[in-house]
C-alpha cells in the first residue's frame, strides 16, 4: 500500500550521531552526567530524488539507568544529530496509550545553546482515522505523541517519565467542555479504545503504567524554504493585531510537476489553474455564483434563490506550501457531505513565526505520513496565527475530503487545525476570524447553519461507542467528540463567537 515509503527507507549505522555531548552547566546540575550510547542506530527516510526536500531521522529510545533521580526510565542522552526542526516520539501499537511525560531539550543550530526541558503532548492518536476504517486498518499506522516544533536544531536529549494511568481526559491540562448529545446510547467507556502495551523501560512498581513497545524519537527536517517563505524568519513573535497576513508568493515553483502533484492540484481545477500556489478570495456575490456552478443540480430551489454561504477566503494550496506529493497515498478519500466542522490545535507549541508556517505544515505532513503511517496529513485545513488558511489533506478544498482528525467522527465532517498550543495561551484574533471565515464558506457549500446542531454517527471512540447517533454543534471542538483537551481551553472558549461570526458571514 505504501510501496514508495518502503522503497525509500534505508537503515544505516550512525555512530557519529550517537556521540553524547556535554550538557550546559545548568543541565549538569539538574541531572547526572550522560552515559554514552554508542549502539544508537538511525533510520533515515530521506527522499530519493535530490529535488525533494526533507528527511526523517529515527532514534530508538534506550533505558536511562543513570537518570533514576528524575524518574526517567527511557530516553536519549545528549547527542549531535543532523539538522531538524520538528520532533515526536513514535511507538508500534497505535492503540497503546503513553501514560507518562515525554520531555525534550534541543540545541539551536545557529547559536549552539540548549533549551530548557519542554513537555511534548503525549495524547495524539485521537486525531487519527476512525477505528476499522481502511486507513486505520492499513497495517502501517503507529502510535505517537504530538509533533513539537523546535526550530532549526542539531542536538537533542530526551527523557520519558512514566506515571500511573490517570484514567481521565487525554492530553495535558484537563479542562471541561461542551459535549455532543447522544441520541440512542450513552458514552462508551473512556478506556474502550485500547490500553498500553508493555515495552522496554516499563515502570518497576504496579502503580506505574507500562510504556508502549518500540518507542523511538523521530526528528523531522521539513526541507528548505520555498517561494514566499523566509529562509531566516524572525524569531517567532506574535503578529500585531492590526497586521494582515503576508502576501502570498506569485512566483511559480520551479521544476516539472510530478503526476501526483498534478493530481493534487487538479483536484482544485474548478477554482484555480493547474499549479496555482493560492486560491484567491472571492466576494459574496462571486461565491454565490461559484456555488451554483459547483453544486447547482444538488441545490434546492430555496438554496438557489438565497444561498447562505460566506465569501470564499484565500487558501494556500498544497503546491503553495511545498507538499511532496510522493509521501501520501495516490488516491483521494471522500465522504458523502460535510455536516460539521471540528476545530483543533496542533499542540506543537507557539514558538514560530508566520513565515515559518509552510515549514511547520511540511513537517506535520511528513510526520503524519512517514512516522505515523497515515495516508496523508490528517487535517483538511490549517490556519496560522496570522490568519492565513492552508489546504490540508489532498482532494480539493471545495470537495468533502475525508480526513483523519477526530477519531470516530471523520465521516461527513471537516477538520480545521489552528497551528499552535492553546491550553493556556489565547489564539490570535486573526486566527479566530479565519476559522469563522473558513467555516462560513466550507459549511455553506453544503447548506449548513453554523449556529445549529446536526446528527452524526460515531465510528467508535472513547466518548461514544461505534454506531451511536450524537447531536453535535455544526462547529464543534475536538473534545466534543472525543475525550481530549484539544483544541485547548482558550481556543475552545472562542467557538461560540466563531459560530456567530460564521453565521453573519453567511448572511444569516
Amino acid at each position: 500500500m505504501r510501496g514508495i515509503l518502503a522503497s525509500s527507507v534505508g537503515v544505516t549505522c550512525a555512530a557519529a550521531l550517537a556521540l553524547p555531548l556535554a550538557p550546559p552547566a545548568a543541565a549538569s546540575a539538574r541531572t547526572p552526567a550522560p552515559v554514552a550510547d554508542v549502539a544508537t542506530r538511525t533510520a533515515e527516510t530521506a527522499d530519493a530524488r535530490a529535488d525533494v526536500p526533507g528527511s526523517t531521522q529515527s532514534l530508538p529510545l534506550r533505558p536511562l539507568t543513570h537518570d533514576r533521580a528524575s524518574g526517567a526510565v527511557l530516553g536519549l542522552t545528549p547527542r549531535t544529530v543532523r539538522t531538524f526542526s520538528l520532533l515526536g516520539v513514535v511507538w508500534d501499537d497505535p492503540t497503546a496509550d503513553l501514560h507518562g511525560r515525554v520531555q525534550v531539550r534541543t540545541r539551536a543550530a545557529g547559536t549552539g545553546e540548549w533549551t530548557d526541558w519542554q513537555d511534548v503532548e503525549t495524547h495524539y492518536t485521537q486525531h487519527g482515522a476512525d477505528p476499522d476504517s481502511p486507513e486505520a486498518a492499513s497495517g502501517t499506522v503507529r502510535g505517537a505523541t504530538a509533533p513539537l516544533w523546535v526550530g532549526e536544531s542539531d542536538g537533542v536529549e530526551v527523557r520519558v517519565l512514566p506515571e500511573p494511568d490517570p484514567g481521565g481526559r487525554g492530553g495535558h491540562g484537563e479542562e471541561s467542555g461542551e459535549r455532543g448529545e447522544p441520541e440512542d446510547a450513552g458514552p462508551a467507556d473512556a478506556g474502550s479504545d485500547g490500553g498500553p502495551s508493555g515495552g522496554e523501560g516499563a515502570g518497576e512498581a504496579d502503580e506505574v503504567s507500562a510504556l508502549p513497545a518500540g518507542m523511538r524519537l523521530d526528528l523531522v527536517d521539513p526541507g528548505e524554504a520555498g517561494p514566499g517563505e523566509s529562509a531566516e524568519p524572525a524569531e517567532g513573535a506574535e503578529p500585531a493585531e492590526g497586521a494582515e497576513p503576508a502576501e502570498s508568493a506569485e512566483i511559480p515553483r520551479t521544476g516539472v510537476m510530478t503526476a501526483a502533484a498534478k493530481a493534487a492540484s487538479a483536484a482544485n481545477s474548478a477554482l484555480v489553474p493547474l499549479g496555482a500556489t493560492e486560491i484567491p478570495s472571492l466576494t459574496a456575490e462571486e461565491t454565490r455564483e461559484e456555488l451554483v456552478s459547483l453544486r447547482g443540480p444538488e441545490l434546492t430551489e430555496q438554496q438557489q434563490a438565497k444561498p447562505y454561504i460566506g465569501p470564499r477566503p484565500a487558501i494556500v494550496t498544497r503546491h503553495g506550501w511545498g507538499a511532496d506529493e510522493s509521501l501520501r497515498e495516490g488516491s483521494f478519500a471522500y465522504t458523502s457531505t460535510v455536516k460539521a466542522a471540528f476545530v483543533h490545535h496542533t499542540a506543537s507549541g507557539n514558538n514560530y513565526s508566520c513565515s515559518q508556517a509552510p515549514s511547520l505544515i511540511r513537517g506535520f505532513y511528513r510526520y503524519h505520513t512517514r512516522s505515523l503511517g497515515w495516508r496523508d496529513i490528517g487535517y483538511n485545513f490549517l490556519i496560522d496565527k496570522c490568519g492565513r488558511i492552508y489546504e490540508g489533506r489532498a482532494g480539493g478544498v471545495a470537495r468533502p475530503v475525508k480526513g483523519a482528525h477526530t477519531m470516530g467522527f471523520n465521516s461527513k465532517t471537516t477538520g480545521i487545525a489552528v497551528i499552535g498550543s492553546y491550553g493556556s495561551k489565547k489564539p490570535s484574533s486573526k486566527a479566530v476570524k479565519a476559522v469563522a471565515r473558513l467555516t462560513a464558506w466550507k459549511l455553506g457549500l453544503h447548506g449548513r447553519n453554523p449556529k445549529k446542531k446536526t446528527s452524526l454517527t460515531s465510528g467508535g471512540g472513547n466518548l461514544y461507542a461505534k454506531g451511536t447517533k450524537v447531536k453535535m454543534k455544526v462547529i464543534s471542538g475536538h473534545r466534543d467528540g472525543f475525550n481530549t483537551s484539544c483544541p485547548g481551553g482558550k481556543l475552545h472558549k472562542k467557538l461560540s463567537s466563531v459560530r456567530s461570526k460564521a453565521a453573519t458571514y453567511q448572511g444569516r
Side-chain angles (χ1 to χ4, degrees):
M1 184 175 186
R2 306 189 62 84
I4 191 164
L5 171 60
S7 66
S8 65
V9 176
V11 179
T12 59
C13 290
L17 301 185
L19 295 177
L21 303 173
S28 300
R30 290 195 299 268
T31 59
V35 177
D37 182 7
V38 296
T40 298
R41 293 170 63 85
T42 300
E44 181 184 2
T45 57
D47 297 284
R49 302 197 317 276
D51 61 333
V52 176
S55 63
T56 301
Q57 303 169 65
S58 291
L59 306 174
L61 301 189
R62 305 294 187 186
L64 292 179
T65 55
H66 73 285
D67 204 16
R68 294 296 185 185
S70 72
V73 297
L74 279 182
L76 291 173
T77 53
R79 66 200 55 233
T80 294
V81 293
R82 284 182 291 279
T83 303
F84 69 99
S85 297
L86 181 142
L87 60 80
V89 172
V90 183
W91 54 89
D92 297 338
D93 185 357
T95 67
D97 290 327
L98 198 170
H99 296 299
R101 298 176 69 185
V102 174
Q103 296 181 316
V104 298
R105 297 171 60 242
T106 56
R107 186 181 65 187
T111 66
E113 295 182 359
W114 285 84
T115 67
D116 293 330
W117 287 106
Q118 300 182 75
D119 281 295
V120 181
E121 172 59 72
T122 58
H123 297 269
Y124 192 65
T125 52
Q126 63 265 34
H127 289 255
D130 295 341
D132 302 325
S133 67
E135 184 168 1
S138 65
T140 65
V141 179
R142 291 172 284 275
T145 68
L148 178 67
W149 178 261
V150 295
E152 193 168 284
S153 305
D154 60 7
V156 68
E157 180 180 8
V158 187
R159 64 187 185 190
V160 180
L161 299 81
E163 61 189 25
D165 181 2
R169 171 186 301 278
H172 297 150
E174 300 185 7
E175 305 156 8
S176 61
E178 301 165 343
R179 291 279 184 249
E181 302 167 6
E183 296 179 358
D184 56 8
D189 181 83
S192 63
D193 61 338
S197 62
E200 183 181 44
E204 300 172 333
D206 291 340
E207 67 272 13
V208 178
S209 299
L211 295 173
M215 294 182 70
R216 70 177 196 249
L217 176 70
D218 274 16
L219 306 174
V220 178
D221 169 17
E224 295 299 320
E229 184 181 348
S230 172
E232 296 292 339
E235 196 64 29
E238 285 283 359
E241 281 301 308
E244 292 296 328
E247 291 298 322
S248 62
E250 296 296 336
I251 304 171
R253 290 185 175 273
T254 58
V256 178
M257 293 179 69
T258 65
K262 288 180 180 178
S265 183
N268 291 313
S269 61
L271 311 180
V272 287
L274 189 72
T277 57
E278 182 176 83
I279 298 167
S281 60
L282 295 180
T283 65
E285 182 59 32
E286 290 170 336
T287 302
R288 287 191 288 268
E289 292 174 358
E290 182 183 73
L291 173 64
V292 174
S293 68
L294 290 174
R295 306 193 65 242
E298 307 168 45
L299 300 177
T300 65
E301 289 185 9
Q302 182 178 0
Q303 287 176 318
Q304 291 187 33
K306 187 174 177 57
Y308 291 104
I309 184 170
R312 187 183 75 191
I315 302 171
V316 178
T317 65
R318 291 170 64 90
H319 193 52
W321 54 258
D324 171 10
E325 300 295 351
S326 71
L327 298 181
R328 63 170 174 83
E329 287 285 335
S331 60
F332 305 136
Y334 296 100
T335 185
S336 59
T337 187
V338 174
K339 300 177 69 175
F342 281 99
V343 178
H344 305 258
H345 67 169
T346 57
S348 52
N350 301 307
N351 190 27
Y352 74 94
S353 63
C354 294
S355 62
Q356 290 176 306
S359 285
L360 271 79
I361 297 171
R362 291 197 303 273
F364 300 152
Y365 174 44
R366 178 172 284 275
Y367 187 65
H368 285 184
T369 55
R370 288 292 172 95
S371 298
L372 277 68
W374 296 357
R375 62 176 295 121
D376 195 347
I377 191 170
Y379 309 113
N380 297 101
F381 299 92
L382 299 98
I383 296 173
D384 68 26
K385 57 188 174 184
C386 287
R388 170 146 295 182
I389 301 169
Y390 301 83
E391 178 184 14
R393 182 163 286 207
V397 297
R399 301 188 66 185
V401 177
K402 187 175 183 179
H405 50 83
T406 307
M407 184 179 287
F409 292 102
N410 289 308
S411 292
K412 301 181 180 180
T413 67
T414 192
I416 301 168
V418 181
I419 301 174
S421 300
Y422 300 105
S424 58
K425 183 178 179 60
K426 291 182 180 180
S428 70
S429 60
K430 292 291 183 183
V432 174
K433 181 180 179 181
V435 175
R437 294 175 63 224
L438 176 58
T439 52
W441 172 72
K442 183 66 177 179
L443 294 171
L445 289 172
H446 300 272
R448 310 301 175 188
N449 186 338
K451 299 180 76 173
K452 298 293 186 179
K453 289 186 177 182
T454 190
S455 179
L456 297 173
T457 301
S458 174
N462 64 3
L463 269 183
Y464 302 104
K466 184 175 181 178
T468 304
K469 293 183 179 180
V470 184
K471 277 288 188 184
M472 201 79 71
K473 292 186 176 181
V474 169
I475 298 178
S476 288
H478 185 183
R479 64 171 62 181
D480 301 321
F482 199 97
N483 191 20
T484 175
S485 62
C486 182
K490 297 295 186 181
L491 178 54
H492 195 269
K493 288 178 180 178
K494 297 291 185 181
L495 295 188
S496 178
S497 64
V498 166
R499 296 179 190 109
S500 296
K501 290 177 182 177
T504 299
Y505 290 140
Q506 286 189 347
R508 297 182 186 273

